Amino acid sequence: MRTKVISSTIQLEQIISACRSKGLTIGFVPTMGALHEGHLSLIKSSKEQTDFTVCSIFVNPKQFNKAEDLDHYPRSLKMDVSKLEAAKCDLVFAPTENEIYQDEVPFEFDFAGLDQYMEGKFRSGHFNGVVHVVKRLFEIVRPEKAFFGLKDYQQFVIIQQLVRFFNLPIDVVGCPTVREKNGLALSSRNSQLDTKDIPAALELSKALNLIKSRFQKSNLDALKKQAINQLEQHTKLEYLIIANSRTLSPIEKWSDAQHARAFVAAEVGGVRLIDNVEIF
Ligand code: AMP
């Protein structure tokens, strides 16, 4: 069956209601398009765990804090739709900005401190934009399960908080980061990288792996300094943070947390990249 592509909220709600009346469960994968294997792994998980998979493609202006970043964000709807068709995604929702926001009811949201560090700190207003679009999309699609990549770990934790805060009956599923063989985390932004910048881009996953491989053997501060030093030689480093996986607050000693992840953001050849890895 061909994958249906729609842009109307009313039409989407009708299709979802028809699925519901047949007793089908809905899986939802929100994206900004320029799809790659990382996105398709979320579609695969949704297809395995639910009966009807909806993928949204919407480049959300509210989550960009720089106009030029929004302007340069890659857009490739036609190619995206053929990839989703090959992945047997049931429905593609590609709304306009007006379609998404016209019926939005303003709301207050408590981030519970999860937006204080990393992307929340360095991209002012970013998560506010994310939370607004995802809440709106959740209201329209009303999925049983929603699939998010751990590549954007802070976003994943904030979406869990969104669901908790509004008591939404949605299971937020985190899916592992898909990488190139060389370790580079797949990202829509990678298409903007010049070939000559790839070795520098690889420094992000290398730094994270250094921390992961040495954490039991090295003092946290010394290891962090070594990774930062390495990153600064090849990239324009924004942050390298080792944080508690639950609260996302930075840790000073390995014994400060039971679960920790390392997070990095850096610019390479004018392209901003992020990555993270579980340490323990
Ligand atoms: P985006 O289109 O960048 O907003 O991403 C849409 C979804 O795909 C988000 O849940 C991302 O975390 C997820 N995603 C992006 N890159 C990857 C990747 N390399 N592996 C797994 N999931 C990813």
Side-chain angles (χ1 to χ4, degrees):
M1 213 169 72
R2 278 190 82 86
T3 302
K4 214 173 156 77
V5 185
I6 59 168
S7 57
S8 145
T9 303
I10 293 177
Q11 206 186 345
L12 181 97
E13 284 170 343
Q14 283 167 350
I15 296 172
I16 298 292
S17 295
C19 288
R20 285 257 139 65
S21 62
K22 287 187 215 152
L24 301 180
T25 55
I26 311 293
F28 179 42
V29 180
T31 80
M32 296 204 298
L35 302 183
H36 50 66
E37 288 300 322
H39 297 110
L40 299 176
S41 74
L42 307 187
I43 301 289
K44 185 164 178 275
S45 297
S46 174
K47 286 195 64 74
E48 281 164 3
Q49 297 181 38
T50 64
D51 302 319
F52 189 89
T53 293
V54 181
C55 175
S56 65
I57 297 179
F58 177 61
V59 182
N60 175 31
K62 287 195 181 183
Q63 71 188 68
F64 286 81
N65 57 341
K66 287 186 188 154
E68 75 263 26
D69 193 18
L70 174 62
D71 290 345
H72 291 148
Y73 200 82
R75 289 163 173 88
S76 53
L77 184 62
K78 230 171 134 188
M79 218 150 71
D80 291 346
V81 171
S82 44
K83 287 178 185 171
L84 289 169
E85 204 150 73
K88 300 197 161 49
C89 176
D90 298 291
L91 184 66
V92 181
F93 180 47
T96 59
E97 191 179 344
N98 189 42
E99 195 74 33
I100 286 288
Y101 289 119
Q102 63 186 352
D103 293 330
E104 193 192 26
V105 181
F107 63 86
E108 293 291 321
F109 174 64
D110 179 7
F111 282 92
L114 296 168
D115 64 334
Q116 275 182 56
Y117 306 99
M118 303 177 291
E119 296 302 281
K121 180 169 169 192
F122 283 84
R123 295 181 74 192
S124 162
H126 169 66
F127 284 123
N128 201 36
V130 169
V131 156
H132 275 78
V133 75
V134 172
K135 177 156 184 290
R136 211 32 217 124
L137 288 165
F138 279 177
E139 280 163 7
I140 299 167
V141 181
R142 293 183 295 123
E144 269 80 14
K145 291 191 178 206
F147 297 82
F148 289 85
L150 298 182
K151 154 85 169 37
D152 300 283
Y153 187 83
Q154 189 171 17
Q155 168 173 279
F156 166 68
V157 176
I158 287 175
I159 299 301
Q160 286 182 314
Q161 164 68 4
L162 176 75
V163 162
R164 249 192 323 266
F165 186 78
F166 289 105
N167 232 333
L168 305 175
I170 300 172
D171 183 10
V172 179
V173 183
C175 303
T177 301
V178 178
R179 298 175 181 278
E180 304 273 11
K181 277 206 183 75
N182 59 17
L184 181 67
L186 297 192
S187 163
S188 304
R189 292 173 190 268
N190 292 356
S191 64
Q192 298 170 20
L193 283 172
D194 201 289
T195 319
K196 71 171 180 10
D197 292 323
I198 302 289
L202 291 176
E203 292 296 328
L204 277 77
S205 56
K206 275 194 197 163
L208 298 177
N209 286 333
L210 170 78
I211 296 168
K212 191 174 171 72
S213 65
R214 295 208 49 90
F215 86 92
Q216 276 163 326
K217 300 167 199 134
S218 307
N219 163 281
L220 187 146
D221 215 33
L223 191 51
K224 218 176 116 179
K225 275 196 186 123
Q226 189 186 345
I228 288 176
N229 202 1
Q230 210 169 301
L231 280 159
E232 281 181 341
Q233 284 179 36
H234 304 276
T235 72
K236 207 169 137 198
L237 180 64
E238 240 174 48
Y239 61 76
L240 176 85
I241 290 174
I242 300 167
N244 182 312
S245 309
R246 305 280 154 90
T247 64
L248 303 187
S249 56
I251 61 173
E252 316 259 306
K253 299 194 294 290
W254 296 122
S255 55
D256 281 354
Q258 281 187 314
H259 308 273
R261 292 185 90 90
F263 299 82
V264 63
E267 223 179 81
V268 174
V271 183
R272 187 175 185 278
L273 301 173
I274 62 169
D275 199 354
N276 74 88
V277 79
E278 180 183 51
I279 304 294
F280 55 88

